[in-house]
Amino acid sequence: MLITFHSKVVAEVLMLTDHAGALLQAAGKPVGDKIPERGVFTVEQLGPAISGIERAIDEYQHAHEGVDEDDEDKAPVAPMARMVGLKERAFPLLDMMRQSQAAGAEVTWEVSRGW
């Protein structure tokens, strides 16, 4: 299932539910077994949410340090076959949050109905 993030400042961001759930939790939104149908980050909540996601990215990168280091004995991995990390997955949402915060706009999300 897809989650769509909205802001009056930038274009929508679409994300798979599994990835969105991890980012919402890092941003301080309580997500249980199921992401709420709709939600909002008020302008006041954007600063702490951004910090929470950035902290989660740092923790993820420290936990995965050295995993992608080049090993001369292994065949090189094609760029399209490389794993997509949390930093790359979070970038569009973080960018939306930062621009929205600067413009004084809230960020909302909703579960997308169709694909």
Side-chain angles (χ1 to χ4, degrees):
M1 197 171 352
L2 290 174
I3 302 297
T4 305
F5 292 91
H6 303 277
S7 172
K8 293 180 180 178
V9 181
V10 295
E12 294 177 341
V13 172
L14 295 173
M15 197 174 293
L16 292 173
T17 306
D18 292 341
H19 304 147
L23 291 175
L24 287 171
Q25 284 184 329
K29 293 294 182 180
V31 177
D33 295 339
K34 186 177 174 185
I35 293 177
E37 290 281 321
R38 294 171 189 244
V40 63
F41 290 101
T42 63
V43 177
E44 296 80 23
Q45 293 173 331
L46 286 173
I50 291 167
S51 296
I53 293 173
E54 289 172 341
R55 193 170 31 260
I57 290 169
D58 288 341
E59 291 171 5
Y60 177 88
Q61 287 182 313
H62 288 310
H64 292 87
E65 280 181 356
V67 172
D68 292 331
E69 287 185 21
D70 293 328
D71 184 355
E72 293 179 15
D73 295 334
K74 291 183 180 179
V77 178
M80 291 299 291
R82 291 185 182 150
M83 185 180 89
V84 177
L86 185 61
K87 183 176 182 177
E88 293 80 13
R89 292 194 192 284
F91 179 80
L93 180 58
L94 273 175
D95 184 53
M96 173 186 271
M97 288 177 152
R98 289 178 181 134
Q99 289 188 50
S100 297
Q101 183 182 33
E106 61 187 24
V107 173
T108 62
W109 79 82
E110 65 182 343
V111 174
S112 299
R113 294 288 173 222
W115 183 352

